[in-house]
Amino acid sequence: MEVDIQLVPSPPDPDTLLDRTVVVIDVLRATSVMVQAMSQGALEIIPVATVEEAFQTAKTFPQSSLILGGERGSKKIPGFDLGNSPREYVAERVKGKKLILTTTNGTKAFHVVSSGREILVGSFFNIEVTAQRCLELNRDLLIFPSGDEGKFSLEDTICGGMLIDLIMKKGGKRIDLSDASRCAQILYKKFKDNLSEALHLSHHGKKLVNRGFVEDLGYCAQTDMTDIVPEFKAGVIRVPLTPSLSPGETVSQ
Amino acid sequence: MEVDIQLVPSPPDPDTLLDRTVVVIDVLRATSVMVQAMSQGALEIIPVATVEEAFQTAKTFPQSSLILGGERGSKKIPGFDLGNSPREYVAERVKGKKLILTTTNGTKAFHVVSSGREILVGSFFNIEVTAQRCLELNRDLLIFPSGDEGKFSLEDTICGGMLIDLIMKKGGKRIDLSDASRCAQILYKKFKDNLSEALHLSHHGKKLVNRGFVEDLGYCAQTDMTDIVPEFKAGVIRVPLTPSLSPGETVSQ
C-alpha cells in the first residue's frame, strides 16, 4: 500500500486517482467544519467553489432544509447562515439539515480530486478513524492538503503527517512511503506534543488570529472528537451507512 | 527578506521571480556536477533540456573546447563524454572547457526559473557560500529544488533546508520564512548529523544505488568543498568575476 501526500495543491492527473483512496484535509477550517457539522447531525454537505454557485444550488432545495455556510477572506458571506468556524456548527443549527458550503481552499479541493476511488474528509477531529478506514480500504493512498491559496500549508501537512504516522503504526511493513510522506511524518513528529502551537505558527493560522478567530486554532487542533469518516461522492459529502468493504472486514464506525 | 522554497517543481509564475534571487538545487546530481565542474576549472556550462539540443548546441562550437555530459535513466548518454556523476568531473577532463549538460530534472529547472533576477547554482558542495551570497544580494529568495520527475525530492529539500538554516543564523530577524521554508528547515535539522543517510533514504537515492551509483550519494552529501557560487544568465552558467553588489558590500568569493 503506497502512501503519498501532495504537498502543494496543484491538480493531480485524474487518471492516477482512479484506483486510489484520497483524503482531503483543510484543518483551517473547511474539513474541520465538515466533520464537525456531520458529527452534529447534518444530513449532507454540498461543497461548491463559488458564492454564486452556493446561491444557485440553494434555489433547488426547500429553504427550510438548508444551511448556507462558508467564508471569503475568513469571514461569513453576506446572506449566509453560518461562517467557517467549526464552533458554529452545533446540533441546534445543523441537525437534519443539508449544508451548502463554500470556502477559499477546502471546498475547491474536492472537485480537483473528484476522480478518486473514494474521497474521504480528514481533519484532526477524526484522524484515528480515518487512518483505520484507509487501512480497511487497503488501496494506494493520496493525501491532499488543500493548501493556503495554492501554496504549501503547514497545518494541513502536519495533519497529513499524523495520518501517515497512524497508518504506519497500524499497517506495519506493508506501507510504502513516498519522500513527501516521509517529510510530512517528520513534520508531524516535530509538533505532535503541541499541535495548537503549529497552527499558531502557520501562515494561515496567523491570518485567522489577525482576523479575530484565535479560538478556532486551538479548537481545530483537537484530535479524535468523533468516529465518523464522511465521504465525497457525486458532488455530495455524506457519512456512509454501509461502507463497501471486502467480505470479512469490519468497520469501526 | 522573504525566504520561500518551492517543494514541488511546478513552474512558478515568471512575473513573481523578476525581483527575486532563485537558487536551483539538484543534489542528485545536476547541480552537484555543475558546482564540481566549475570548481575544477570548467569555463562555462550550457544546461539544455534534451539530448538532441545538446548535440545541436555542440555543433556551434569548436569540438576541442567542448565536453558533453549528462544522463538519461541515470546513465551516460551514447556519444557523450561524461555521465552525471560529479566524481567524473575532475580538472584533467574539464579545465578550460565548455560543458554542455543535459539531465532528467536539474538542467530543465534552470529554464523554468529563467526570469529570476539572479539564478544561483546550489548544492551541499557550496552551501555556506551560497547562503552568504543570498544575504549579500538581500532580495526575496525562492529556493527551487528541481525534484524527482516532477515530484517532491527529499534530498533537494533537505539541502534547501540547510540553506535556509544558514541564512537564518547569519541574517537574524530580517528573515521571514514561509510555511514551506519552515518545513524544509525542520527536515534539514532532522538529518543534519547524517546527510548521507538522508540521501540513502530518498527515492532518487535508492534508484541511484540500484543503478550502481552508490558512491555518488556519500560524495554529494559533502558540504563546503568550494567557495564558488555559479550563476545562470542568458542560458549559460558561469562563476561571476565581479558580482554586482551594492556599494560598501563585500564578496567572500
Side-chain angles (χ1 to χ4, degrees), chain A residues 4 7-8 10 148 151-155 178-180 182-183 186-187 190-191 201-204 206, chain B residues 4 7-8 10 148 151-155 178-180 182-183 186-187 190-191 201-204 206:
Chain A
D4 195 13
L7 295 174
V8 175
S10 45
D148 184 10
K151 301 195 85 174
F152 172 87
S153 149
L154 190 68
E155 70 280 8
S178 68
D179 279 10
R182 220 176 280 283
C183 167
I186 289 167
L187 207 59
K190 163 83 181 168
F191 291 105
L201 201 62
S202 75
H203 180 255
H204 197 162
K206 286 177 182 156
Chain B
D4 194 12
L7 294 175
V8 175
S10 45
D148 184 10
K151 301 194 86 174
F152 172 87
S153 150
L154 189 68
E155 70 280 8
S178 67
D179 280 10
R182 220 175 281 283
C183 167
I186 289 167
L187 206 60
K190 164 81 181 168
F191 291 105
L201 202 62
S202 75
H203 180 255
H204 197 161
K206 285 177 183 157

Side-chain angles (χ1 to χ4, degrees), chain A:
Chain A
M1 178 178 167
E2 282 177 20
V3 176
D4 195 13
I5 180 167
Q6 182 121 347
L7 295 174
V8 175
S10 45
D13 174 2
D15 289 347
T16 65
L17 302 184
L18 295 173
D19 291 325
R20 290 195 188 210
T21 300
V22 180
V23 180
V24 175
I25 294 174
D26 184 5
V27 170
L28 294 175
R29 299 168 288 176
T31 61
S32 298
V33 161
M34 290 169 180
V35 173
Q36 165 87 10
M38 303 228 73
S39 77
Q40 295 291 305
L43 283 186
E44 56 185 39
I45 300 170
I46 305 177
V48 298
T50 67
V51 174
E52 294 67 33
E53 211 181 332
F55 283 122
Q56 284 301 325
T57 308
K59 284 183 189 162
T60 62
F61 299 103
Q63 192 128 10
S64 64
S65 69
L66 279 186
I67 290 278
L68 276 170
E71 56 73 34
R72 284 298 178 273
S74 312
K75 294 188 176 127
K76 198 175 96 166
I77 298 159
F80 274 41
D81 302 296
L82 296 173
N84 198 33
S85 167
R87 294 174 298 130
E88 298 173 75
Y89 288 76
V90 290
E92 300 86 76
R93 300 301 303 268
V94 302
K95 195 167 183 181
K97 303 275 187 176
K98 188 191 297 282
L99 168 63
I100 299 172
L101 189 72
T102 181
T103 71
T104 308
N105 306 302
T107 56
K108 291 187 187 83
F110 286 91
H111 298 282
V112 166
V113 299
S114 62
S115 66
R117 177 73 178 258
E118 299 91 14
I119 301 152
L120 311 181
V121 183
S123 69
F124 284 119
F125 295 164
N126 66 340
I127 193 83
E128 172 108 25
V129 69
T130 303
Q132 188 60 40
R133 183 90 185 100
C134 292
L135 285 163
E136 286 161 1
L137 291 164
N138 199 25
R139 270 188 260 285
D140 289 344
L141 179 66
L142 179 71
I143 301 167
F144 194 84
S146 54
D148 184 10
E149 298 183 18
K151 301 195 85 174
F152 172 87
S153 149
L154 190 68
E155 70 280 8
D156 291 347
T157 308
I158 289 171
C159 185
M162 184 172 183
L163 185 61
I164 291 162
D165 198 59
L166 288 165
I167 289 171
M168 285 291 284
K169 279 182 183 144
K170 292 166 187 279
K173 286 193 179 166
R174 69 181 164 117
I175 311 301
D176 185 17
L177 295 191
S178 68
D179 279 10
S181 291
R182 220 176 280 283
C183 167
Q185 190 188 22
I186 289 167
L187 207 59
Y188 158 65
K189 285 185 172 170
K190 163 83 181 168
F191 291 105
K192 69 176 180 170
D193 296 325
N194 201 342
L195 295 173
S196 178
E197 180 200 331
L199 270 59
H200 277 85
L201 201 62
S202 75
H203 180 255
H204 197 162
K206 286 177 182 156
K207 208 159 57 183
L208 286 176
V209 169
N210 286 337
R211 291 173 182 176
F213 297 100
V214 63
E215 285 179 56
D216 280 353
L217 274 61
Y219 194 85
C220 291
Q222 297 174 100
T223 56
D224 302 320
M225 308 274 284
T226 176
D227 63 355
I228 59 165
V229 186
E231 277 194 43
F232 176 78
K233 206 172 195 172
V236 182
I237 291 167
R238 292 190 185 90
V239 178
L241 294 175
T242 50
S244 53
L245 293 178
S246 311
E249 287 184 311
T250 55
V251 188
S252 61
Q253 51 182 311

Side-chain angles (χ1 to χ4, degrees), chain B residues 4 44 95 138 159 161 181 197 206 214 227 240:
Chain B
D4 194 12
E44 57 185 38
K95 193 167 184 180
N138 199 25
C159 185
S181 292
E197 180 200 332
K206 285 177 183 157
V214 63
D227 63 356

